[in-house]
Amino acid sequence: MRDAISNHTVVNLGELALSGTTPGVSDYVDTRGYDSVSIVLLTGTVTDAGTVDGFTAVLEESADTTGAAASAVVAADTVNLVNTIQVTADTDDNVNAGGMGYNGTERYVGATVTGTAGTSANVTVLAILHRPHRAPADFVGTSVART
C-alpha cells in the first residue's frame, strides 16, 4: 500500500454559523507548494433548510489574502465543473455535503456560504491539499485569515 498521508495536507478553514442571508466566509488555504486542492463542506446541525430556505457554498479564489479580492471560481477552473454545493434538506445534519476540486492558478482558495431568509446551520469548511512539491508534507496545515 502506498503512503497517502505524507502527500496530503488537511486545513480547517473554519466553522461557520449561518443565520438567514448573512454570508459565512471561510479562511483561505494557501496553495503554494501543491498542485491541487479540494474544498469539502461538512454540516453540523441544519434547521429550516428546506427547498426554499437552504444554503449554497461558492468556491472562491484570490491572488492575495484580502477578502475584497476574492471572486467566485469559474466552472472551467474546477474539477467536473462543480463550483457550488447546495444543501436544501433539514435531514442533512452531520454529513459530508460535498466537495469541490480547484485547478485554477490563484494562490488562495476558500468558500463563502450564503443562506436564505430561514437558514440556520453550522458548517465546517475543510481544504485538502494534494500533490505537494516536496514530500513528506505535514498532514495538518494552517489556514490564512482573510483581511
Side-chain angles (χ1 to χ4, degrees):
M1 178 181 288
R2 295 180 185 253
D3 171 23
I5 201 164
S6 297
N7 290 303
H8 295 87
T9 299
V10 177
V11 181
N12 184 340
L13 301 184
E15 180 161 328
L16 311 177
L18 304 178
S19 179
T21 60
T22 303
V25 180
S26 79
D27 285 349
Y28 284 130
V29 62
D30 186 348
T31 64
R32 178 179 278 175
Y34 294 84
D35 287 338
S36 63
V37 62
S38 299
I39 300 294
V40 178
L41 194 72
L42 306 173
T43 64
T45 302
V46 177
T47 55
D48 296 326
T51 56
V52 176
D53 296 321
F55 58 87
T56 302
V58 177
L59 188 62
E60 294 184 326
E61 64 186 357
S62 180
D64 59 42
T65 61
T66 62
S71 62
V73 175
V74 297
D77 286 342
T78 66
V79 176
N80 296 327
L81 304 176
V82 176
N83 58 1
T84 62
I85 297 171
Q86 189 170 30
V87 173
T88 58
D90 288 348
T91 56
D92 281 344
D93 291 344
N94 305 309
V95 300
N96 178 342
M100 301 173 281
Y102 178 74
N103 57 17
T105 59
E106 297 295 349
R107 181 172 172 181
Y108 299 98
V109 178
T112 293
V113 186
T114 306
T116 56
T119 298
S120 178
N122 293 315
V123 177
T124 299
V125 181
L126 298 178
I128 304 170
L129 294 156
H130 310 278
R131 297 192 314 260
H133 296 171
R134 292 194 177 141
D138 292 331
F139 184 66
V140 177
T142 304
S143 66
V144 179
R146 294 194 198 196
T147 57

